[in-house]
Amino acid sequence: MPEREKVVILGGGFAGLRILKDIDRKRFDVHIVDRNNYHGFPPLFYQVASSGLEPADIAFPFRRRLGKDKFPRARFHLGSVVEVDAASQTVITDKERISYDHLVIALGTTNNFFADDSLREKVYTLKSIDEAIRLRNEIILRCERAALESDEGKRREMLTFVVIGGGPAGVEVAGALGELKRYILKREYPEISPDDMTIRLVEGSSRLLGAMSEKASATASEDLGSLMVDVTLGHVMKSFEDGVVTLDDGTAFNAGIVVWTAGVKAVPVNITGHTEDCIYGRGGRIVTDDRCRVKGLGNVYAVGDIGIFTDDMYPQGLPQLAQVAIQEGRFVARCLNRGDWSSPFRYSDRGSMATIGRNKAVADIRGLRLKGWAGWMAWMFIHLVSLMGMRSKLSVLLNWTWSYFTYNTALRILLRGSMYPLRKMEG
Amino acid sequence: MPEREKVVILGGGFAGLRILKDIDRKRFDVHIVDRNNYHGFPPLFYQVASSGLEPADIAFPFRRRLGKDKFPRARFHLGSVVEVDAASQTVITDKERISYDHLVIALGTTNNFFADDSLREKVYTLKSIDEAIRLRNEIILRCERAALESDEGKRREMLTFVVIGGGPAGVEVAGALGELKRYILKREYPEISPDDMTIRLVEGSSRLLGAMSEKASATASEDLGSLMVDVTLGHVMKSFEDGVVTLDDGTAFNAGIVVWTAGVKAVPVNITGHTEDCIYGRGGRIVTDDRCRVKGLGNVYAVGDIGIFTDDMYPQGLPQLAQVAIQEGRFVARCLNRGDWSSPFRYSDRGSMATIGRNKAVADIRGLRLKGWAGWMAWMFIHLVSLMGMRSKLSVLLNWTWSYFTYNTALRILLRGSMYPLRKMEG
């Protein structure tokens, strides 16, 4: 076998995983780096937070995938990226240095708190399974504490959930909280009246699910209403201090906890040793040409949410969606395999969807607009087939079927386990 | 309905849960207190540690059970017991005070480090799901770090697992580590040679599984041998300092981590306001009469592992087993229901079993001695039917079937999630 060029993929999300699957390992020596040892499935993180699914249902260990590869197999490296030294073609992680011939940056996005970074300590987020588990624990603990609280005012304060952001994540988590209020409280928490729980959703624009059709937005508002979620449109949160949320028009209300889904930014990557001045664009994304090649660095590619290029059709860049990441991953793998970068990347929009709750979902699939039960079945089907691994598919199907027939989520357990510091080996 | 007497159950393990199920709620106002919001299934904690099962597979939320109760339902209280004031008949938890007419103490056992309490900080244990997750994370992280380590000596040091204690928990966790070494490493960690991993099991007595038949002990030793586990009998660990385990005969060897399964003691309960001097016996267990009534406190009962009484047949007290706990729970519930304590508790031994790995288990069931595939099937069947909840049974069956056909454990994911402090509501 001739000497193979070494491709290092940073991040095993939708984009990185696609490249890992599609790249020709006979031609390239492939290495994938991720801070987690598994590929997570972000569209269902909110279901981990709402106790509907277990982390393992939507997390697929990289090594299990690599173990099935035919020789030559790709290698996995656990680590957080500290620096990319483009001059020496080396990635530095918190655990080692890895040289590369080609580098794919596919690290995705993280939470964006805009001007107020102090929010990081105060709010709950949903950008990783770890964050989802943290939110799950807090929701369960609040219900348990409220059940022991005899003062109605205090109970209501504890149980005020404010969701900031009306995109899919915000709508989905607010809907799941609505189902907790509507179906689960009365059966499992007789100490708490459903009226004690308040769920508010605050969206800055004039409608929910702004990336979808007007019809989908209207349906989502209606469905959230039926789950007793108070939706506020056209306002943004100005501050969250001492349990009080203040909006831009001065409206203030109590908030037990705030779930922040209102913004993302590219995961910051410290790229040194390059000559180009300005490689970071909107939202911290890495600017590429329309072939996902980082400007000024011929053998470095930015794919998925972390990269951006603009063209006539998308003057703001492509939307940060799983579909874009998967298609860009496939495109870059193919270009690398063929050594041919002559055609630009073209995005094919397959539609989008969001679920609000049981029998409640909206889907815009090309011309088709689905809602209600039909939307919900489409949503479940698409997510089931997109999940990696047959065991995960079966386990998710089991949990969903169970929840459907019992009007319940089976997994409401409070785990404190990994609070123990992983002090010996971590870092 | 006449005024009902109030029964408070501390702890929702096998004993507490049995009482909860069997007690007459028309007659008693029933409250259950636990520091977790779920009933865990200790016989399978080691499978959570070895990534074979998810926590939710073997944890059943108390409120889901209570939600199915016909009226009048029992109440759940999340909390850790701080004190029992027998004079005022009040339980004080970290969150509230609860008065009682009858009190059932069923808090079970915790790890016992005997003379060397500093071990608490150094070793890994398996007495709760939280502890099992902590061990799982450490095992995964060690394999990942070893995969990045080019120095063979360091790699071998990292991957030396020492299990202290040759009871069921020790044998089962050592067997699971043996399967990791034998089946999983070569497929998923090509960077690590199986020879880099060492598993040692140290047992103080002259045989493994001392509570079982000699034949079962011999089979367990043989089965562990086939999984490349080094078994040392007749020695105890004297110290574990700076990565070196020293035995009582002076033998010393490196240990990456130590898994401690060598001792338990009763969960300490601070009972104040009683007149009897000596209510704590062997292993900190609460001394009762042969009807599980705490000496000197007529309306307080200690059931399961935390209680002890001696008779001619069991001069050391009954063994600390799930079967004893369940039978004592049933006994106390019946006595309370009938208001009749005239007959003493009689233990009926249903046998015991332990699994070492795939197709490897030992079972002593009355006269029957099973091993190999038959023992393993018996072990799986008994554990499946004993698990609470149909969803859990199905999920465990799915995971076990999957592991059987793939020679793998599906769930090897490293979760850091709940490390985030639950600062707002906890405590």
Side-chain angles (χ1 to χ4, degrees):
Chain A
M1 195 154 41
E3 182 75 16
R4 292 176 303 156
E5 285 187 300
K6 185 169 173 186
V7 175
V8 175
I9 304 168
L10 305 182
F14 287 121
L17 193 71
R18 190 72 251 167
I19 294 180
L20 181 71
K21 285 178 174 174
D22 287 359
I23 204 164
D24 181 355
R25 288 189 308 276
K26 292 213 175 62
R27 176 156 175 193
F28 297 104
D29 175 21
V30 182
H31 296 252
I32 184 159
V33 180
D34 201 289
R35 68 188 190 87
N36 292 315
N37 74 331
Y38 56 84
H39 164 75
F41 191 73
L44 295 177
F45 286 174
Y46 84 96
Q47 290 212 0
V48 171
S50 63
S51 303
L53 294 176
E54 275 298 281
D57 292 339
I58 59 162
F60 195 94
F62 291 117
R63 288 185 183 275
R64 205 158 104 228
R65 156 86 215 167
L66 303 183
K68 288 178 184 157
D69 283 353
K70 290 201 176 48
F71 188 81
R73 67 193 275 166
R75 290 295 173 98
F76 172 69
H77 301 248
L78 185 73
S80 294
V81 176
V82 174
E83 185 186 333
V84 170
D85 180 1
S88 68
Q89 303 206 151
T90 307
V91 173
I92 301 156
T93 78
D94 56 348
K95 297 184 177 64
E96 60 177 334
R97 302 170 68 92
I98 310 167
S99 65
Y100 65 83
D101 297 310
H102 298 273
L103 181 69
V104 178
I105 304 178
L107 290 164
T109 56
T110 183
N111 297 295
N112 190 353
F113 302 104
F114 303 104
D116 187 1
D117 215 53
S118 78
L119 284 177
R120 186 188 308 280
E121 299 290 312
K122 296 182 206 162
V123 301
Y124 287 77
T125 49
L126 276 169
K127 286 292 291 173
S128 68
I129 293 182
D130 291 327
E131 290 164 61
I133 286 283
R134 178 174 168 251
L135 177 55
R136 178 202 284 203
N137 283 345
E138 181 72 19
I139 293 169
I140 296 169
L141 205 46
R142 274 180 186 265
C143 291
E144 291 299 338
R145 292 301 297 260
L148 303 178
E149 177 59 64
S150 53
D151 182 296
E152 185 186 278
K154 284 188 191 161
R155 214 161 56 225
R156 292 189 168 201
E157 220 173 290
M158 276 178 199
L159 295 177
T160 304
F161 296 87
V162 179
V163 179
I164 307 292
V171 165
E172 288 171 338
V173 77
L177 287 166
E179 296 204 312
L180 170 63
K181 172 175 171 158
R182 177 151 172 193
Y183 299 122
I184 296 168
L185 271 193
K186 68 177 167 207
R187 187 167 38 207
E188 298 207 348
Y189 292 88
E191 304 90 338
I192 305 174
S193 153
D195 294 338
D196 291 344
M197 182 177 276
T198 307
I199 304 144
R200 286 171 179 274
L201 175 63
V202 179
E203 160 59 31
S205 77
S206 62
R207 62 187 181 99
L208 299 175
L209 303 173
M212 296 185 68
S213 63
E214 300 260 352
K215 197 174 154 192
S217 303
T219 306
S221 277
E222 212 172 279
D223 286 348
L224 284 175
S226 77
L227 291 169
M228 297 175 284
V229 175
D230 301 325
V231 177
T232 302
L233 297 173
H235 290 287
V236 299
M237 186 176 89
K238 291 305 282 183
S239 70
F240 175 42
E241 298 281 352
D242 304 322
V244 175
V245 164
T246 309
L247 302 185
D248 52 0
D249 64 347
T251 315
F253 46 81
N254 285 328
I257 69 169
V258 169
V259 182
W260 180 263
T261 69
V264 296
K265 62 181 179 191
V267 167
V269 184
N270 180 23
I271 306 179
T272 60
H274 59 97
T275 49
E276 200 86 4
D277 267 350
C278 184
I279 63 168
Y280 302 102
R282 268 185 93 224
R285 292 163 81 177
I286 299 172
V287 178
T288 67
D289 63 13
D290 58 8
R291 288 147 176 90
C292 299
R293 294 179 296 197
V294 178
K295 293 256 167 117
L297 297 168
N299 57 346
V300 180
Y301 320 95
V303 296
D305 289 358
I306 203 171
I308 189 169
F309 66 87
T310 53
D311 59 16
D312 292 348
M313 202 172 152
Y314 295 100
Q316 307 278 310
L318 288 163
Q320 290 168 300
L321 294 174
Q323 272 305 319
V324 177
I326 292 167
Q327 292 176 31
E328 286 187 352
R330 186 174 293 130
F331 169 84
V332 167
R334 196 158 45 196
C335 292
L336 283 167
N337 289 344
R338 297 179 181 166
D340 173 8
W341 296 82
S342 55
S343 313
F345 171 71
R346 286 278 170 255
Y347 171 52
S348 150
D349 183 355
R350 304 272 168 84
S352 55
M353 49 201 350
T355 188
I356 297 95
R358 183 188 176 75
N359 294 338
K360 292 184 178 66
V362 288
D364 294 342
I365 304 168
R366 298 180 193 264
L368 205 61
R369 308 251 177 279
L370 300 176
K371 66 176 188 174
W373 186 82
W376 194 61
M377 291 306 283
W379 180 90
M380 287 202 298
F381 177 76
I382 295 285
H383 285 80
L384 264 184
V385 299
S386 308
L387 263 177
M388 197 172 164
M390 188 52 66
R391 199 207 66 90
S392 290
K393 287 185 217 285
L394 289 173
S395 184
V396 168
L397 188 62
L398 169 64
N399 282 321
W400 282 353
T401 308
W402 198 262
S403 298
Y404 189 76
F405 286 110
T406 61
Y407 281 79
N408 208 339
T409 52
L411 310 165
R412 211 161 319 100
I413 68 171
L414 176 59
L415 286 177
R416 305 175 174 89
S418 35
M419 280 201 293
Y420 287 89
L422 294 164
R423 55 183 181 269
K424 287 175 192 159
M425 301 301 289
E426 184 77 284
Chain B
M1 197 151 44
E3 183 74 17
R4 293 176 301 156
E5 284 187 300
K6 186 170 173 186
V7 174
V8 175
I9 303 167
L10 305 183
F14 287 121
L17 194 71
R18 190 72 252 167
I19 294 180
L20 181 70
K21 285 178 174 173
D22 287 0
I23 203 164
D24 181 355
R25 288 189 308 277
K26 291 213 177 62
R27 179 159 172 189
F28 296 105
D29 176 22
V30 181
H31 296 253
I32 184 159
V33 179
D34 201 290
R35 68 189 188 88
N36 292 314
N37 74 331
Y38 56 84
H39 164 76
F41 191 73
L44 295 176
F45 286 174
Y46 84 96
Q47 291 211 0
V48 170
S50 62
S51 303
L53 293 176
E54 274 298 279
D57 292 340
I58 59 161
F60 195 93
F62 291 117
R63 289 184 183 275
R64 206 158 104 228
R65 157 87 215 166
L66 303 183
K68 289 180 184 154
D69 283 354
K70 289 200 179 46
F71 188 80
R73 67 193 275 167
R75 290 295 173 97
F76 172 70
H77 301 248
L78 185 74
S80 294
V81 176
V82 175
E83 185 186 332
V84 170
D85 180 0
S88 68
Q89 303 205 151
T90 307
V91 173
I92 301 156
T93 78
D94 56 347
K95 296 183 179 64
E96 59 177 334
R97 303 171 68 92
I98 310 167
S99 66
Y100 64 83
D101 297 311
H102 298 271
L103 181 69
V104 178
I105 303 178
L107 291 164
T109 56
T110 184
N111 297 295
N112 190 354
F113 303 104
F114 303 105
D116 187 1
D117 216 52
S118 78
L119 285 177
R120 187 188 306 280
E121 299 291 311
K122 297 184 208 161
V123 302
Y124 287 78
T125 49
L126 275 169
K127 286 291 291 172
S128 68
I129 292 181
D130 291 328
E131 289 164 54
I133 286 282
R134 178 173 168 251
L135 176 56
R136 178 203 284 202
N137 282 345
E138 182 73 18
I139 293 169
I140 297 170
L141 206 47
R142 275 182 183 264
C143 291
E144 291 298 339
R145 292 301 296 262
L148 303 179
E149 177 59 64
S150 53
D151 182 294
E152 186 185 280
K154 283 189 191 160
R155 214 161 56 226
R156 292 190 167 200
E157 219 173 292
M158 274 178 204
L159 294 178
T160 305
F161 296 87
V162 178
V163 180
I164 306 292
V171 165
E172 288 171 336
V173 77
L177 288 166
E179 296 204 311
L180 170 63
K181 172 175 172 159
R182 176 151 173 195
Y183 300 120
I184 296 168
L185 270 193
K186 69 177 165 207
R187 187 167 41 205
E188 299 208 348
Y189 292 87
E191 304 90 339
I192 305 175
S193 154
D195 294 338
D196 291 343
M197 183 178 274
T198 306
I199 304 145
R200 287 173 179 272
L201 176 63
V202 179
E203 161 60 31
S205 77
S206 62
R207 62 186 181 100
L208 299 176
L209 303 174
M212 295 184 69
S213 64
E214 301 259 354
K215 198 173 153 193
S217 302
T219 306
S221 278
E222 212 172 280
D223 285 349
L224 284 175
S226 76
L227 290 170
M228 297 176 283
V229 175
D230 301 326
V231 178
T232 302
L233 297 173
H235 291 287
V236 298
M237 185 176 91
K238 291 306 281 183
S239 71
F240 175 43
E241 298 282 351
D242 304 322
V244 176
V245 164
T246 308
L247 302 185
D248 52 0
D249 64 348
T251 315
F253 47 81
N254 286 328
I257 69 169
V258 169
V259 182
W260 179 263
T261 69
V264 295
K265 63 181 178 191
V267 167
V269 184
N270 180 23
I271 305 179
T272 60
H274 59 97
T275 49
E276 199 87 3
D277 266 350
C278 184
I279 62 169
Y280 302 103
R282 271 184 92 226
R285 293 163 81 178
I286 299 172
V287 178
T288 68
D289 64 13
D290 58 8
R291 287 144 176 93
C292 300
R293 293 178 296 197
V294 178
K295 293 254 168 118
L297 297 169
N299 57 345
V300 180
Y301 320 94
V303 295
D305 289 358
I306 202 171
I308 189 168
F309 66 88
T310 54
D311 59 15
D312 292 347
M313 202 172 153
Y314 295 98
Q316 307 279 308
L318 287 164
Q320 290 168 300
L321 295 173
Q323 273 305 319
V324 177
I326 292 167
Q327 292 175 30
E328 286 186 352
R330 185 175 293 129
F331 170 83
V332 167
R334 197 159 44 198
C335 292
L336 283 168
N337 288 345
R338 296 179 181 166
D340 173 8
W341 296 82
S342 56
S343 313
F345 172 70
R346 287 277 169 257
Y347 172 51
S348 149
D349 184 354
R350 304 272 168 84
S352 55
M353 48 202 347
T355 188
I356 297 95
R358 183 188 176 75
N359 294 338
K360 293 182 176 67
V362 288
D364 295 342
I365 304 168
R366 298 179 193 264
L368 205 61
R369 308 251 176 278
L370 299 177
K371 66 176 187 173
W373 186 82
W376 194 61
M377 292 306 282
W379 180 91
M380 287 202 296
F381 177 77
I382 296 285
H383 284 80
L384 264 184
V385 299
S386 308
L387 262 177
M388 198 173 162
M390 187 52 65
R391 201 207 66 89
S392 289
K393 288 184 216 285
L394 289 173
S395 185
V396 168
L397 188 62
L398 169 64
N399 282 320
W400 283 353
T401 308
W402 197 262
S403 298
Y404 189 76
F405 286 109
T406 61
Y407 281 80
N408 207 339
T409 51
L411 310 164
R412 212 161 318 98
I413 67 170
L414 176 59
L415 285 177
R416 305 174 174 90
S418 35
M419 280 199 294
Y420 287 89
L422 294 164
R423 54 181 182 271
K424 286 174 191 159
M425 301 302 290
E426 184 76 283

